[in-house]
């Protein structure tokens, strides 16, 4: 089965759509400050320390997932549940992506620091919502400029904080 053109977006873009539309635009236009962020390095360390090097990241087309287990379980490793909604939609996108490739997968979000695991299921309703989100991502990233910054609780820990507010 062929992927729809909306599936050219990445899982990170889906998460950023949920977190902040401005962040989505900045990231999509390669205005990226993540490489200077200690958080990204900490995320990588968390993955390696929790699961070792055996569970390797897997890249398929535009998506990159943390690891696959038990022949059909997609896992994403996250530090905390503070952005749980974004984590869920990112995983729903991965499930959708695999579904379009003809593979029925299960989604698990792992929070090793709190030893929690959250199951994610792609229902028909979520799939429709996701397709709308993918269209909106295309529309936002196709614009010439980002939306103005809006104060969000997340801003303080966002890598674009100085860019938006200083
Ligand atoms: S600092 Fe706030 S407004 Fe700016 S990109 Fe980050 S979340 Fe969005």
């Amino acid at each position: 089965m062929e992927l729809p053109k909306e599936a050219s977006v990445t899982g990170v873009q889906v998460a950023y759509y949920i977190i902040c539309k401005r962040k989505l635009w900045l990231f999509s236009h390669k205005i990226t400050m993540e490489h200077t962020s200690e958080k990204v390095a900490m995320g990588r360390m968390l993955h390696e320390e929790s699961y070792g090097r055996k569970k390797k990241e897997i890249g398929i087309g535009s998506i990159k997932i943390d690891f696959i287990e038990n022949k059909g379980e997609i896992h994403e490793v996250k530090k905390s549940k503070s952005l749980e909604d974004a984590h869920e939609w990112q995983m729903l996108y991965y499930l959708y992506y695999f579904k379009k490739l003809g593979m029925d997968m299960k989604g698990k979000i792992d929070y090793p620091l709190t030893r929690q695991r959250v199951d994610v299921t792609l229902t028909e309703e979520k799939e429709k919502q996701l397709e709308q989100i993918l269209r909106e991502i295309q529309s936002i990233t196709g614009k010439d400029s980002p939306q103005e910054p809006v104060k969000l609780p997340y801003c303080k820990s966002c890598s674009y904080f100085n860019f938006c507010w200083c």
Side-chain angles (χ1 to χ4, degrees), residues 10-57:
T10 68
V12 173
Q13 284 178 304
V14 173
Y16 285 179
Y17 171 88
I18 302 296
I19 295 166
C20 170
K21 314 286 184 281
R22 178 176 170 86
K23 186 175 173 86
L24 166 65
W25 190 95
L26 293 171
F27 173 81
S28 303
H29 287 257
K30 315 281 184 222
I31 303 168
T32 171
M33 295 161 122
E34 295 288 1
H35 64 283
T36 59
S37 167
E38 286 178 15
K39 283 191 174 173
V40 173
M42 278 171 64
R44 286 201 192 102
M45 254 171 57
L46 175 68
H47 184 129
E48 287 200 355
E49 279 176 12
S50 308
Y51 300 98
R53 286 166 196 269
K54 279 190 197 155
K55 306 210 168 179
K56 291 206 170 108
E57 275 188 348

Side-chain angles (χ1 to χ4, degrees), residues 19-24 26 147-165:
I19 295 166
C20 170
K21 314 286 184 281
R22 178 176 170 86
K23 186 175 173 86
L24 166 65
L26 293 171
Q147 71 167 39
E148 289 301 307
V150 178
K151 278 267 188 228
L152 299 167
Y154 175 73
C155 289
K156 279 181 273 165
S157 49
C158 176
S159 61
Y160 294 108
F161 183 86
N162 289 346
F163 191 82
C164 293
W165 301 110

